Amino acid sequence: MSKVSALYPGSFDPPTNGHLDLIERGAKIFEELVVGILRNTEKSPMFSLAERLEMLKTLTAHLKNVRIEAFHGLMVEYAKSIDATCVLRGIRAVSDYEYELQMALMNRKLEPTLETVFMMPADKYSYVSSRLVREVAQVGGPVKGLVPEFVEQKLREKLEPAYKFHDEMQEETARAAGGKEKKRKKKA
């Protein structure tokens, strides 16, 4: 049997617990798993390529058969260049499947020897996406449990004004609620 090397491509902006779940499980299945961070010049990512590389390298340091790299251009060409025989893709919902199936069929057309393996994340991460994490974080909302603590810290650093504003609003709301409670007690 030949060595099975897989590519798990994505933007990972930011890496979520769902991504990490797939990486850890993929590392058990494949002899080598390359996590390929797509460098897409048409998108404006929250985290720079260097930041995403650093986060993923830190989060996967314990996985000896996982390598973190960046790439640009066609994924199938990159997969060929690293001798990957398989592409790992995560599917959270039926809508993901429709999109991923279309991509897999196109990839097969471009490179017939490249197989695609679909993997579902653990139930507790089935609704988590980088986009949703960014949206919640940008307004200072809690992302605990959606991303690893290391990534949560990086989000707080990057979005400090949003978190500071959110924390101040929470304190103000709590003070206002406390004041209303005192007035009610005085009337009683």
Side-chain angles (χ1 to χ4, degrees), residues 58-84:
T58 300
L59 295 168
T60 61
H62 65 288
L63 301 169
K64 301 305 174 205
N65 64 331
V66 172
R67 197 169 78 224
I68 311 299
E69 294 185 354
F71 75 97
H72 66 280
L74 274 179
M75 186 274 303
V76 293
E77 289 178 359
Y78 176 66
K80 251 175 99 170
S81 77
I82 61 169
D83 296 323

Side-chain angles (χ1 to χ4, degrees), residues 122-188:
D123 290 348
K124 61 186 174 182
Y125 306 127
S126 63
Y127 64 93
V128 178
S129 73
S130 291
R131 181 185 55 79
L132 288 175
V133 167
R134 282 193 312 271
E135 287 177 11
V136 170
Q138 285 172 331
V139 294
V143 294
K144 187 174 187 71
L146 304 177
V147 295
E149 284 182 32
F150 177 67
V151 175
E152 183 179 4
Q153 178 185 351
K154 294 289 186 184
L155 281 163
R156 280 190 159 285
E157 290 169 9
K158 175 111 11 212
L159 300 167
E160 184 182 1
Y163 277 100
K164 189 174 180 181
F165 178 75
H166 180 265
D167 292 346
E168 288 170 359
M169 296 308 299
Q170 293 290 90
E171 289 171 13
E172 191 175 305
T173 302
R175 278 194 302 274
K180 288 178 184 177
E181 185 64 29
K182 285 180 185 177
K183 286 180 183 177
R184 265 194 294 243
K185 286 183 179 180
K186 281 184 179 180
K187 286 183 180 179

Side-chain angles (χ1 to χ4, degrees), residues 6-174:
L7 169 63
Y8 179 30
S11 60
F12 305 101
D13 184 37
T16 68
N17 283 336
H19 292 134
L20 198 54
D21 176 53
L22 260 58
I23 292 168
E24 289 175 344
R25 290 172 42 222
K28 292 176 187 173
I29 296 170
F30 303 106
E31 287 182 58
E32 179 183 46
L33 179 62
V34 176
V35 178
I37 304 172
L38 176 62
R39 192 178 322 150
N40 188 343
T41 55
E42 292 183 20
K43 286 189 176 181
S44 299
M46 176 180 285
F47 289 98
S48 71
L49 184 60
E51 290 170 317
R52 289 178 280 156
L53 280 164
E54 175 204 356
M55 284 188 279
L56 281 165
K57 284 180 179 180
T58 300
L59 295 168
T60 61
H62 65 288
L63 301 169
K64 301 305 174 205
N65 64 331
V66 172
R67 197 169 78 224
I68 311 299
E69 294 185 354
F71 75 97
H72 66 280
L74 274 179
M75 186 274 303
V76 293
E77 289 178 359
Y78 176 66
K80 251 175 99 170
S81 77
I82 61 169
D83 296 323
T85 55
C86 190
V87 176
L88 175 62
R89 296 298 297 163
I91 295 182
R92 295 176 306 247
V94 173
S95 58
D96 284 351
Y97 178 74
E98 291 172 1
Y99 171 79
E100 292 296 341
L101 176 63
Q102 195 174 26
M103 291 300 294
L105 292 172
M106 177 57 79
N107 290 340
R108 184 180 290 163
K109 174 75 174 157
L110 296 172
E111 182 52 57
T113 63
L114 191 62
E115 294 295 336
T116 301
V117 172
F118 297 119
M119 190 180 285
M120 294 170 52
D123 290 348
K124 61 186 174 182
Y125 306 127
S126 63
Y127 64 93
V128 178
S129 73
S130 291
R131 181 185 55 79
L132 288 175
V133 167
R134 282 193 312 271
E135 287 177 11
V136 170
Q138 285 172 331
V139 294
V143 294
K144 187 174 187 71
L146 304 177
V147 295
E149 284 182 32
F150 177 67
V151 175
E152 183 179 4
Q153 178 185 351
K154 294 289 186 184
L155 281 163
R156 280 190 159 285
E157 290 169 9
K158 175 111 11 212
L159 300 167
E160 184 182 1
Y163 277 100
K164 189 174 180 181
F165 178 75
H166 180 265
D167 292 346
E168 288 170 359
M169 296 308 299
Q170 293 290 90
E171 289 171 13
E172 191 175 305
T173 302

